[in-house]
Amino acid sequence: SKNAGRNCFHIYSADLKAEADQRNVLEIELREAIWREEIEVFYQPVIELGTGRVKSVEALARWRHGTRGFIPPVEFIAVAETGGLIVELGEQVLAKACRDAMTMPDDVKVAVNLSALQFAGTNLVDTVTFALAQSGLPQTRLELEITESVFLADTQENLKTLQRLKALGVSIALDDFGVGYSSLSYLTAFPFDKVKIDKSFIDRIDRSETVAVLKSIVQLAKTLKLSIVAEGVETSEQVSQLQSLGIALGQGFYFSKPVPLADLSWQGHTARRR
Ligand code: C2E
Ligand code: CA
Ligand code: CA
Ligand code: CA
């Protein structure tokens, strides 16, 4: 009936409104948390499969909400992006990661995720230059992780920024490789140093189709002189499969979850003198 339709609409719009309100509250709280510099940074090691050594660590933002507990980055990064907070958040994570890296062994790099929105409008090159200068971290120890989304908007401008970042001497990794639709073309669009193969491939590494795809990625990476990291490694079987494919680096819960700086372990590394 007409009435039922009406009710339906009301329920629907009330739901939407509740959802929007909740999002606004979250955005306000996130703004405060960023302002108070409460966003924490955890680190997940990237392991050289052949030796078990830590080659780098990835910085991952963490927000411990006052009453709601831990809010996952997939939620608050999106809120930061729509709420115009991602630039400030990104700067804080970058600055903290560079400072923290100064307490890690010198042969370990730190990788920081960049949102595509950090490329627009602000001077990302200055931000990175400043974070390196402030912390004293050598540029060769910083790696920036970007996704294909950087190539979707303002392509020419973003490509120029990427080139200027690379000219600073930092390395650039293409993250979440394989989940976009024209991934292969992005690999040749820019001289990346590293490609991170998305977890979804590692999950399906026992299938022959996946093995075939990974083989061609390994081939291409060789040609382009890129190193490859397998993301989301959870089992020893996956480690063996990766090694037999010639993939040298892995990251995932099998080795370690992301942990606070103090919980990273540096077995086999020369301790950094403080
Ligand atoms: P990402 O860059 O692809 O980071 C890897 C994510 O996979 C992390 O989730 C990590 O905890 C998770 N992961 C690692 N190994 C495993 C595994 O073996 N199994 C499973 N199931 N998961 C694994 P996290 O920390 O929740 O971050 C999610 C995403 O949020 C990141 O994906 C990244 O896109 C974004 N993010 C996190 N921190 C930042 C940041 O500081 N800036 C920006 N722009 N994005 C960030
Ligand atoms: Ca990443
Ligand atoms: Ca990833
Ligand atoms: Ca991801």
Side-chain angles (χ1 to χ4, degrees), residues 197 200-219 237-238 240-242 244-247:
I197 300 176
S200 54
F201 287 92
I202 314 311
D203 289 343
R204 294 180 266 123
I205 202 167
D206 56 339
R207 294 196 207 165
S208 60
E209 308 91 83
T210 312
V211 169
V213 172
L214 290 177
K215 274 183 180 158
S216 65
I217 295 173
V218 169
Q219 239 359 82
E237 287 77 18
Q238 290 170 340
S240 318
Q241 294 255 41
L242 290 166
S244 68
L245 282 164
I247 295 175

Side-chain angles (χ1 to χ4, degrees), residues 208-261:
S208 60
E209 308 91 83
T210 312
V211 169
V213 172
L214 290 177
K215 274 183 180 158
S216 65
I217 295 173
V218 169
Q219 239 359 82
L220 187 63
K222 248 185 208 146
T223 311
L224 298 172
K225 297 190 168 61
L226 291 163
S227 64
I228 304 183
V229 178
E231 293 195 286
V233 179
E234 293 180 343
T235 69
S236 62
E237 287 77 18
Q238 290 170 340
V239 173
S240 318
Q241 294 255 41
L242 290 166
Q243 284 188 285
S244 68
L245 282 164
I247 295 175
L249 301 169
Q251 176 181 3
F253 294 173
Y254 176 71
F255 303 106
S256 170
K257 290 196 169 184
V259 294
L261 174 68

Side-chain angles (χ1 to χ4, degrees), residues 73 87 106 117 133 189 239 271:
V87 169
D106 310 325
L117 294 182
V239 173

